[in-house]
Structures are given as structure tokens and as C-alpha cells.
């Protein structure tokens, strides 16, 4: 049996919630107040369905923002976490389906692959750029120094 639990963590759910707190703090420092678990209507046809994004602005906010947070890492062997890349592609599809008036932010953890000399975010953009909608920002959080860098 494989254990895909993040090393030194209580659970992967805790890792995700802790990373969302980091994103909330980052946006708060930019004077953008977000809330967790924001549902907006998405779809390719007239009939829309609610989809929950990790973070977003309340309905009454002037600037509409939605955020998906991913704290994924390279595998312990330095290989591509291909199942997680599928999750990232799914997030891009939901951003594509979301209304254009929203600022769309993919907030990810910086994880460097020494052998490749690139971060997981840089790799994703290089390989999957054709799936990233033009109006999506990818922000990479460096947990070592607390800095957020915009990749696109």
C-alpha cells in the first residue's frame, strides 16, 4: 500500500488548509479580503452550475477575485507528480469556465527540482501553457523567505 501523506504533516487536508491561510494573508497584505470556499456559477452552456473555489471575494466586493491554492511538490524521487498535474489542469478548466469579470489566481507552492533546475510551477507552464487561460495569474509562494513571485 502506498502512503501519499505529506511527510511531517498531520494530514494532507491540514496542509491544504494551512496553505490557504498563507494565501489569505498574502492577499490581505494587498488589501484584498478573501473568504474561503466561494461558489460561483460556471459552465459552457446557458445552464450553469456552482463550483467552489478555495478562496474568493464576497458577493458584495467591488473587485471580483477567485483563487485556487495548490501546495503540491515534486515526488520524493524528483519525478513529475503527474496525477497532481491533472488536478492543476482541472483547475485551469474551471478558471476558463468562470465569468470573465473575475480576476483568476492560481496560488502555488514553490518547489524546486534540483536536477531540472526549475520549480514545479515553471515546469507546469512550460509543458501545459496551452491549457492555461490567458486571464489566469500564477503566483508562486516561496516558504523559505515568504516571498510571492508572479510566474504569469
Amino acid at each position: 500500500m502506498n502512503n501519499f501523506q505529506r511527510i511531517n504533516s498531520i494530514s494532507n487536508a491540514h496542509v491544504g488548509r494551512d496553505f490557504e491561510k498563507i494565501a489569505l494573508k498574502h492577499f490581505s497584505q494587498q488589501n484584498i479580503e478573501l473568504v474561503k470556499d466561494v461558489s460561483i456559477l460556471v459552465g459552457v452552456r446557458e445552464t450553469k452550475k456552482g463550483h467552489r473555489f478555495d478562496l474568493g471575494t464576497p458577493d458584495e466586493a467591488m473587485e471580483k477575485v477567485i483563487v485556487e491554492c495548490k501546495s503540491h511538490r515534486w515526488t520524493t524521487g524528483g519525478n513529475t507528480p503527474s496525477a497532481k498535474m491533472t488536478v492543476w489542469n482541472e483547475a485551469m478548466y474551471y478558471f476558463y469556465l468562470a465569468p470573465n469579470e473575475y480576476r483568476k489566481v492560481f496560488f502555488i507552492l514553490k518547489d524546486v527540482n534540483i536536477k531540472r533546475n526549475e520549480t514545479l510551477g515553471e515546469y507546469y507552464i512550460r509543458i501545459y501553457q496551452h491549457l492555461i487561460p490567458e486571464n489566469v495569474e500564477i503566483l508562486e509562494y516561496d516558504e523559505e523567505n515568504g516571498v510571492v513571485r508572479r510566474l504569469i
Side-chain angles (χ1 to χ4, degrees):
M1 182 169 123
N2 288 326
N3 181 0
F4 296 107
Q5 181 68 40
R6 177 81 52 95
I7 296 170
N8 297 325
S9 69
I10 297 170
S11 73
N12 287 341
H14 281 84
V15 171
R17 282 193 294 271
D18 290 345
F19 193 63
E20 286 176 4
K21 289 177 186 173
I22 291 167
L24 283 167
K25 181 179 177 185
H26 168 75
F27 284 98
S28 180
Q29 291 170 341
Q30 310 300 313
N31 294 316
I32 300 170
E33 297 306 320
L34 302 176
V35 295
K36 292 184 176 188
D37 208 28
V38 171
S39 182
I40 64 167
L41 296 177
V42 299
V44 294
R45 298 179 183 214
E46 288 182 32
T47 305
K48 308 289 184 200
K49 186 173 180 179
H51 174 75
R52 294 196 177 281
F53 289 86
D54 293 332
L55 307 172
T57 47
D59 289 338
E60 65 276 3
M62 294 291 283
E63 181 185 11
K64 296 188 177 302
V65 180
I66 49 176
V67 180
E68 278 295 304
C69 301
K70 302 294 179 210
S71 62
H72 296 146
R73 297 181 181 275
W74 294 99
T75 67
T76 54
N79 297 318
T80 305
S82 50
K84 291 173 179 148
M85 295 295 95
T86 300
V87 171
W88 288 27
N89 288 339
E90 180 184 53
M92 292 304 142
Y93 186 58
Y94 279 111
F95 280 138
Y96 177 76
L97 296 175
N100 287 331
E101 67 261 20
Y102 282 86
R103 177 181 173 196
K104 302 165 186 181
V105 181
F106 196 51
F107 193 86
I108 61 173
L109 178 67
K110 178 181 179 180
D111 191 45
V112 179
N113 183 317
I114 304 300
K115 291 187 285 187
R116 295 176 189 251
N117 193 32
E118 78 184 330
T119 69
L120 191 57
E122 292 165 342
Y123 169 82
Y124 181 76
I125 292 166
R126 181 170 57 82
I127 300 300
Y128 296 101
Q129 188 168 23
H130 64 289
L131 298 179
I132 303 169
E134 288 184 25
N135 59 348
V136 170
E137 300 170 46
I138 299 181
L139 302 182
E140 185 179 67
Y141 172 73
D142 186 337
E143 64 186 339
E144 288 184 20
N145 59 26
V147 172
V148 174
R149 173 176 74 130
R150 182 180 171 148
L151 299 181
I152 59 171

